[in-house]
Amino acid sequence: MPIPSRAALVDHLVRTRIAGDVATPRDNNLSHYRKLANGDRHYWLGLELGDRWADEQDVLAVMAERCGVSDDPEHRVGQDTIDPELTVDALDRMAARLRKAAAGKQRVLFATGHPGALIDVHSRTAARLRAAGCDIVRIPGGLVADEGYVVQFADVALFERGATLWHTHSPEPMNAILDALEAEDSALPDLVVADHGWAGRAGQRGIDSVGYADCNDPALFIGEAEGTLQVAVPLDDHVVDPRYYEPLTEYLLDAAGLIA
């Protein structure tokens, strides 16, 4: 696949609704911002936010700045947006951290709560970092969390229950991995590349963490604003065809110097 220019990628993101006018409606976004502000830990994605974000308008302000949703508090329903320029800016920041990992041949863990959409993005990134000399974490076997199993396919940690890979926001699978690595005296990752509670909890536990986040998942953007996460990339994290993420992945890997 050819590596897209920045302009071409922005056009692709808008055309496929990875950014621009996204499918997530405004009322859903505001509901999630409100629940985070009200202390619902499901929406904290593994971060410990205390009472610092108890005002829903403060959450909205962060999301307008870092994700590109409308900053109008009177806009309550209908279309909301992700600014594709902010998406590409964040991909560039993520690429810089991946370049550092490659230069230092660091130990990197990949995980996703969106196996139906993002597993290939993570897997292809892991393969390129391995080729550059990084140690891609192989998670311990037999891990359980949230009445299911933490498994690994194509170098990506995932949550499985009932022989099915699950969409999950929970931080508990990441806790299970990190606790098990500590218990067997294995080195913790230098970097986690993930999303949802996998990324949030890794950052909360003091590990460099970069991740992808939708406009209705404000916690990771707050984590970046507070410095707990290195990067949160704004995008629709489950568009209709996972192949739509391929140009984004190629752009990221090229910017990170991982494509020869």
Side-chain angles (χ1 to χ4, degrees):
M1 175 174 292
I3 298 161
S5 66
R6 181 186 179 105
L9 180 58
V10 166
D11 180 69
H12 172 79
L13 295 174
V14 172
R15 187 173 62 254
T16 58
R17 301 185 73 186
I18 293 173
D21 289 342
V22 293
T24 309
R26 177 66 167 188
D27 55 309
N28 182 264
N29 284 342
L30 295 182
S31 172
H32 287 205
Y33 304 169
R34 186 179 311 112
K35 288 172 181 177
L36 180 147
N38 289 340
D40 187 333
R41 296 177 73 86
H42 174 77
Y43 296 91
W44 289 12
L45 300 182
L47 295 167
E48 295 297 333
L49 302 179
D51 59 1
R52 299 186 299 279
W53 297 92
D55 187 334
E56 178 186 346
Q57 297 308 312
D58 290 341
V59 180
L60 176 59
V62 167
M63 294 303 291
E65 176 187 15
R66 293 180 177 268
C67 188
V69 302
S70 170
D71 63 358
D72 180 3
E74 300 306 314
H75 177 38
R76 310 300 299 178
V77 297
Q79 184 67 57
D80 213 341
T81 58
I82 293 175
D83 184 340
E85 298 287 349
L86 294 179
T87 303
V88 182
D89 287 346
L91 287 171
D92 288 339
R93 296 196 301 276
M94 182 182 281
R97 184 60 186 85
L98 296 178
R99 186 183 291 270
K100 177 181 176 182
K105 301 189 184 311
Q106 292 184 338
R107 185 164 161 81
V108 187
L109 171 64
F110 289 83
T112 185
H114 257 295
L118 298 180
I119 186 172
D120 195 46
V121 176
H122 289 302
S123 180
R124 292 167 70 184
T125 307
R128 289 291 185 171
L129 283 178
R130 175 180 281 111
C134 288
D135 176 17
I136 305 304
V137 174
R138 183 178 174 88
I139 71 171
L143 300 184
V144 296
D146 295 332
E147 301 181 345
Y149 297 93
V150 186
V151 297
Q152 191 170 34
F153 297 121
D155 291 322
V156 185
L158 307 149
F159 179 68
E160 178 189 68
R161 185 190 292 170
T164 301
L165 299 178
W166 278 54
H167 169 223
T168 179
H169 287 215
S170 173
E172 293 309 318
M174 180 56 72
N175 275 335
I177 294 171
L178 299 180
D179 290 346
L181 290 173
E182 290 178 334
E184 66 181 27
D185 291 326
S186 294
L188 292 178
D190 299 301
L191 174 66
V192 166
V193 183
D195 46 69
H196 285 177
W198 306 81
R201 182 49 53 91
Q204 188 64 49
R205 290 183 61 157
I207 297 169
D208 279 8
S209 180
V210 298
Y212 302 96
D214 209 328
C215 54
N216 64 353
D217 290 328
L220 296 191
F221 298 102
I222 288 173
E224 184 181 16
E226 291 194 328
T228 310
L229 263 72
Q230 304 272 303
V231 181
V233 178
L235 48 67
D236 186 319
D237 56 15
H238 201 128
V239 294
V240 294
D241 188 342
R243 289 174 292 187
Y244 288 165
Y245 297 104
E246 290 177 356
L248 176 154
T249 308
E250 293 304 301
Y251 178 93
L252 172 70
L253 296 176
D254 181 65
L258 296 173
I259 295 178

